[in-house]
Short mmCIF file of all heavy atoms in Angstrom, two decimals:
data_model
loop_
_atom_site.label_atom_id
_atom_site.label_comp_id
_atom_site.label_asym_id
_atom_site.label_seq_id
_atom_site.Cartn_x
_atom_site.Cartn_y
_atom_site.Cartn_z
N LYS E 766 -12.81 0.39 4.03
CA LYS E 766 -12.34 -0.56 5.02
C LYS E 766 -10.81 -0.77 4.90
O LYS E 766 -10.08 -0.83 5.90
CB LYS E 766 -13.04 -1.90 4.85
CG LYS E 766 -14.41 -2.01 5.49
CD LYS E 766 -15.01 -3.37 5.23
CE LYS E 766 -16.30 -3.57 5.99
NZ LYS E 766 -16.08 -3.87 7.42
N LEU E 767 -10.35 -0.86 3.66
CA LEU E 767 -8.92 -1.06 3.41
C LEU E 767 -8.09 0.06 4.03
O LEU E 767 -7.12 -0.19 4.75
CB LEU E 767 -8.66 -1.15 1.90
CG LEU E 767 -7.20 -1.19 1.45
CD1 LEU E 767 -6.55 -2.50 1.86
CD2 LEU E 767 -7.11 -0.99 -0.07
N PHE E 768 -8.48 1.32 3.75
CA PHE E 768 -7.68 2.45 4.21
C PHE E 768 -7.98 2.83 5.67
O PHE E 768 -7.21 3.58 6.27
CB PHE E 768 -7.91 3.65 3.28
CG PHE E 768 -7.27 3.47 1.92
CD1 PHE E 768 -8.03 3.15 0.81
CD2 PHE E 768 -5.90 3.57 1.77
CE1 PHE E 768 -7.45 2.97 -0.42
CE2 PHE E 768 -5.30 3.40 0.54
CZ PHE E 768 -6.08 3.09 -0.57
N SER E 769 -9.07 2.33 6.21
CA SER E 769 -9.32 2.52 7.65
C SER E 769 -8.43 1.61 8.48
O SER E 769 -8.02 1.95 9.59
CB SER E 769 -10.80 2.22 7.97
OG SER E 769 -11.65 3.16 7.36
N ALA E 770 -8.11 0.43 7.92
CA ALA E 770 -7.26 -0.52 8.63
C ALA E 770 -5.78 -0.13 8.57
O ALA E 770 -5.03 -0.35 9.52
CB ALA E 770 -7.45 -1.92 8.05
N GLN E 771 -5.38 0.44 7.43
CA GLN E 771 -3.99 0.90 7.26
C GLN E 771 -4.02 2.18 6.45
O GLN E 771 -4.73 2.27 5.43
CB GLN E 771 -3.16 -0.14 6.49
CG GLN E 771 -2.89 -1.44 7.23
CD GLN E 771 -2.09 -2.39 6.36
OE1 GLN E 771 -2.58 -2.84 5.32
NE2 GLN E 771 -0.87 -2.71 6.79
N ASP E 772 -3.24 3.18 6.86
CA ASP E 772 -3.21 4.41 6.08
C ASP E 772 -2.37 4.18 4.82
O ASP E 772 -1.67 3.17 4.68
CB ASP E 772 -2.73 5.60 6.91
CG ASP E 772 -1.26 5.49 7.33
OD1 ASP E 772 -0.45 4.90 6.56
OD2 ASP E 772 -0.91 6.01 8.40
N PRO E 773 -2.41 5.11 3.85
CA PRO E 773 -1.69 4.90 2.58
C PRO E 773 -0.21 4.62 2.74
O PRO E 773 0.34 3.79 2.00
CB PRO E 773 -1.94 6.22 1.84
CG PRO E 773 -3.28 6.67 2.34
CD PRO E 773 -3.29 6.30 3.79
N SER E 774 0.44 5.26 3.70
CA SER E 774 1.89 5.02 3.86
C SER E 774 2.16 3.59 4.29
O SER E 774 3.14 2.95 3.85
CB SER E 774 2.49 6.01 4.85
OG SER E 774 1.92 5.83 6.14
N GLU E 775 1.31 3.05 5.16
CA GLU E 775 1.48 1.66 5.61
C GLU E 775 1.21 0.68 4.47
O GLU E 775 1.92 -0.32 4.31
CB GLU E 775 0.54 1.38 6.78
CG GLU E 775 0.90 2.14 8.05
CD GLU E 775 -0.15 2.00 9.13
OE1 GLU E 775 -1.35 2.03 8.81
OE2 GLU E 775 0.24 1.85 10.31
N ILE E 776 0.19 0.97 3.67
CA ILE E 776 -0.12 0.11 2.54
C ILE E 776 1.00 0.14 1.52
O ILE E 776 1.41 -0.88 0.97
CB ILE E 776 -1.47 0.52 1.91
CG1 ILE E 776 -2.62 0.19 2.86
CG2 ILE E 776 -1.68 -0.17 0.55
CD1 ILE E 776 -3.98 0.67 2.42
N ARG E 777 1.54 1.34 1.27
CA ARG E 777 2.65 1.46 0.32
C ARG E 777 3.87 0.67 0.79
O ARG E 777 4.52 -0.04 0.00
CB ARG E 777 3.01 2.94 0.12
CG ARG E 777 4.04 3.16 -1.01
CD ARG E 777 4.35 4.64 -1.18
NE ARG E 777 3.23 5.40 -1.72
CZ ARG E 777 2.96 5.49 -3.02
NH1 ARG E 777 3.69 4.84 -3.91
NH2 ARG E 777 1.94 6.23 -3.42
N ALA E 778 4.18 0.77 2.07
CA ALA E 778 5.34 0.06 2.62
C ALA E 778 5.15 -1.45 2.51
O ALA E 778 6.06 -2.19 2.10
CB ALA E 778 5.58 0.47 4.05
N SER E 779 3.95 -1.92 2.87
CA SER E 779 3.68 -3.36 2.82
C SER E 779 3.73 -3.88 1.39
O SER E 779 4.34 -4.92 1.10
CB SER E 779 2.31 -3.64 3.44
OG SER E 779 1.95 -4.99 3.27
N ALA E 780 3.08 -3.13 0.45
CA ALA E 780 3.03 -3.56 -0.94
C ALA E 780 4.43 -3.53 -1.57
O ALA E 780 4.81 -4.43 -2.34
CB ALA E 780 2.06 -2.69 -1.73
N SER E 781 5.20 -2.50 -1.25
CA SER E 781 6.56 -2.40 -1.80
C SER E 781 7.41 -3.57 -1.34
O SER E 781 8.21 -4.13 -2.11
CB SER E 781 7.22 -1.08 -1.36
OG SER E 781 6.53 0.02 -1.89
N ALA E 782 7.25 -3.97 -0.09
CA ALA E 782 8.01 -5.10 0.44
C ALA E 782 7.65 -6.41 -0.24
O ALA E 782 8.43 -7.37 -0.19
CB ALA E 782 7.78 -5.21 1.95
N HIS E 783 6.48 -6.46 -0.88
CA HIS E 783 6.04 -7.66 -1.56
C HIS E 783 6.15 -7.52 -3.07
O HIS E 783 5.48 -8.24 -3.83
CB HIS E 783 4.59 -7.99 -1.17
CG HIS E 783 4.47 -8.55 0.21
ND1 HIS E 783 4.46 -7.74 1.33
CD2 HIS E 783 4.38 -9.84 0.68
CE1 HIS E 783 4.34 -8.50 2.41
NE2 HIS E 783 4.29 -9.78 2.04
N GLY E 784 6.97 -6.59 -3.53
CA GLY E 784 7.30 -6.54 -4.95
C GLY E 784 6.41 -5.69 -5.83
O GLY E 784 6.54 -5.73 -7.06
N PHE E 785 5.53 -4.90 -5.24
CA PHE E 785 4.67 -4.03 -6.05
C PHE E 785 5.42 -2.76 -6.43
O PHE E 785 6.19 -2.20 -5.62
CB PHE E 785 3.39 -3.68 -5.29
CG PHE E 785 2.41 -4.82 -5.22
CD1 PHE E 785 2.50 -5.77 -4.21
CD2 PHE E 785 1.41 -4.96 -6.17
CE1 PHE E 785 1.62 -6.83 -4.14
CE2 PHE E 785 0.52 -6.01 -6.11
CZ PHE E 785 0.62 -6.96 -5.09
N THR E 786 5.20 -2.30 -7.65
CA THR E 786 5.86 -1.08 -8.11
C THR E 786 5.16 0.15 -7.53
O THR E 786 4.00 0.10 -7.13
CB THR E 786 5.85 -0.99 -9.64
OG1 THR E 786 4.50 -0.82 -10.08
CG2 THR E 786 6.45 -2.24 -10.27
N ASP E 787 5.88 1.26 -7.55
CA ASP E 787 5.30 2.51 -7.09
C ASP E 787 4.10 2.89 -7.95
O ASP E 787 3.10 3.41 -7.45
CB ASP E 787 6.35 3.62 -7.14
CG ASP E 787 5.86 4.91 -6.52
OD1 ASP E 787 5.62 4.92 -5.30
OD2 ASP E 787 5.69 5.90 -7.26
N ALA E 788 4.17 2.62 -9.27
CA ALA E 788 3.06 2.94 -10.17
C ALA E 788 1.82 2.13 -9.82
O ALA E 788 0.69 2.65 -9.86
CB ALA E 788 3.47 2.69 -11.62
N GLU E 789 1.97 0.87 -9.48
CA GLU E 789 0.83 0.04 -9.13
C GLU E 789 0.14 0.57 -7.85
O GLU E 789 -1.09 0.68 -7.79
CB GLU E 789 1.27 -1.40 -8.91
CG GLU E 789 1.62 -2.14 -10.17
CD GLU E 789 2.11 -3.56 -9.90
OE1 GLU E 789 2.99 -3.72 -9.01
OE2 GLU E 789 1.62 -4.50 -10.57
N ILE E 790 0.95 0.91 -6.87
CA ILE E 790 0.39 1.39 -5.60
C ILE E 790 -0.30 2.74 -5.80
O ILE E 790 -1.42 2.97 -5.32
CB ILE E 790 1.50 1.51 -4.53
CG1 ILE E 790 2.19 0.15 -4.36
CG2 ILE E 790 0.91 1.96 -3.20
CD1 ILE E 790 3.52 0.23 -3.63
N THR E 791 0.38 3.63 -6.52
CA THR E 791 -0.23 4.94 -6.80
C THR E 791 -1.51 4.77 -7.60
O THR E 791 -2.50 5.50 -7.38
CB THR E 791 0.76 5.84 -7.54
OG1 THR E 791 1.94 6.01 -6.75
CG2 THR E 791 0.15 7.21 -7.82
#
């Protein structure tokens, strides 16, 4: 459901904007 609502690039952009590291997202 998570990745159907937003693809990985959108999730990465949103999470990065909220202070998440690249390692956490990966």
Side-chain angles (χ1 to χ4, degrees):
K766 277 179 173 282
L767 173 68
F768 289 104
S769 294
Q771 292 179 296
D772 67 32
S774 63
E775 292 172 320
I776 291 174
R777 187 179 291 276
S779 173
S781 296
H783 286 81
F785 286 86
T786 67
D787 187 66
E789 287 177 312
I790 303 164
T791 301

